[in-house]
């Protein structure tokens, strides 16, 4: 009980420190009790729910995850569901094979975790040329001591999975959840709230972003 009280009292101080301290790296991550709404309007279910049910798609490698996703179609929620933000269950996504970034990511995240990867579902902003200023989601996963960013809606294989070191300036992470359903907040969230967002990256050519159906 004492630990819970202290943790509750420490939250305003922690938020104040993160807002005022000279945090320069938006990729600094902190364990936190992040409310579901911080992940998006469509986040209405506990993340464990997205791992329920039997998948009809068998994959045995990250490459097979990419192959399956490349055959899917990106469609915005207002077009597909007549809602501003709707998160499909991965089993539903397997039937429709249509959806937006959250649907692609939830399916891929579940598959990577099932394959044994240390993988996080991340919500934040894409800063690369051609990206929408609205929120975006992607996956971080670790392999042989390296961290990779997996953006499942990219339509070119070589842009779907890249080293985090190569693309860290193209994305602004805000909140995440790992395969054990532990949630985190990134310094990027506080930097954006404080009006200290990094400038959009301009070194790379525009990525092959999906076209809205």
């Amino acid at each position: 009980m004492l630990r819970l009280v202290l943790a509750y009292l420490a939250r305003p101080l922690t938020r104040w420190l993160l807002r005022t301290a000279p945090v320069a790296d938006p990729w600094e991550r902190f364990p936190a009790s992040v409310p579901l709404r911080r992940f998006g309007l469509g986040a209405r279910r506990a993340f464990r729910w997205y791992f329920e049910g039997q998948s009809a798609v068998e994959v045995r490698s990250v490459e097979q995850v990419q192959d399956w996703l490349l055959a899917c179609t990106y469609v915005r929620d207002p077009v597909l569901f007549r809602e501003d933000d709707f998160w499909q269950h991965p089993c539903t996504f397997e039937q429709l094979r249509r959806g937006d970034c959250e649907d692609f990511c939830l399916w891929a995240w579940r598959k990577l975790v099932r394959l044994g990867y240390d993988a996080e579902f991340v919500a934040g902003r894409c800063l690369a040329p051609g990206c929408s200023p609205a929120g975006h989601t992607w996956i971080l996963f670790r392999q042989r001591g390296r961290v990779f960013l997996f953006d499942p809606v990219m339509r070119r294989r070589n842009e779907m999975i890249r080293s985090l070191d190569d693309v860290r300036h193209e994305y602004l992470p805000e909140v995440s959840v790992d395969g054990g359903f532990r949630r985190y907040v990134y310094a990027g969230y506080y930097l954006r709230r404080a009006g200290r967002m990094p400038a959009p990256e301009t070194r790379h050519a525009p990525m092959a972003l999906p076209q809205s159906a």
Side-chain angles (χ1 to χ4, degrees):
M1 177 64 72
L2 179 59
R3 291 180 61 187
L4 292 175
V5 172
L6 290 174
Y8 176 80
L9 293 175
R11 287 175 188 169
L13 177 60
T14 301
R15 289 196 293 267
W16 179 82
L17 287 172
L18 288 170
R19 284 198 299 267
T20 59
V23 177
D25 184 4
W27 291 91
E28 288 190 57
R29 188 186 73 170
F30 311 91
S33 299
V34 180
L36 279 175
R37 66 181 179 275
R38 295 295 183 198
F39 288 86
L41 294 175
R44 302 164 192 161
R45 300 269 193 167
F47 284 102
R48 193 179 300 274
W49 181 75
Y50 298 99
F51 281 68
E52 296 177 357
Q54 183 64 41
S55 172
V57 178
E58 182 180 359
V59 293
R60 297 184 178 180
S61 67
V62 175
E63 291 74 21
Q64 289 182 352
V65 171
Q66 290 179 279
D67 289 340
W68 193 86
L69 289 169
L70 284 169
C72 296
T73 303
Y74 180 92
V75 185
R76 296 175 59 246
D77 286 334
V79 175
L80 189 58
F81 296 111
R82 302 295 189 268
E83 292 191 33
D84 290 337
D85 194 18
F86 182 85
W87 290 19
Q88 298 180 56
H89 188 282
C91 292
T92 304
F93 182 60
E94 289 181 354
Q95 297 175 26
L96 297 180
R97 302 200 72 164
R98 304 169 75 203
D100 66 0
C101 62
E102 294 95 354
D103 305 317
F104 278 69
C105 277
L106 288 168
W107 186 86
W109 175 49
R110 169 173 160 157
K111 288 299 182 184
L112 290 183
V113 171
R114 295 295 193 213
L115 287 171
Y117 287 94
D118 176 8
E120 287 179 49
F121 174 92
V122 185
R125 313 279 162 162
C126 178
L127 304 179
C131 283
S132 166
H136 189 49
T137 59
W138 60 88
I139 300 160
L140 291 180
F141 72 95
R142 293 154 185 84
Q143 184 179 41
R144 299 186 183 93
R146 297 180 63 194
V147 182
F148 294 89
L149 190 147
F150 184 1
D151 194 338
V153 299
M154 293 295 111
R155 299 293 82 191
R156 294 176 187 154
R157 178 183 291 274
N158 64 338
E159 291 181 342
M160 292 177 81
I161 298 177
R162 293 177 290 170
S163 169
L164 179 60
D165 290 338
D166 294 336
V167 297
R168 58 189 292 116
H169 297 295
E170 295 180 5
Y171 295 82
L172 184 76
E174 296 187 8
V175 293
S176 73
V177 55
D178 67 17
F181 309 114
R182 292 173 291 269
R183 301 179 196 179
Y184 304 88
V185 62
Y186 280 83
Y189 170 76
Y190 297 99
L191 291 173
R192 182 177 67 82
R193 290 287 297 271
R196 296 159 57 192
M197 279 182 63
E201 179 61 48
T202 58
R203 291 179 303 172
H204 302 281
M207 297 186 291
L209 300 172
Q211 300 298 313
S212 299

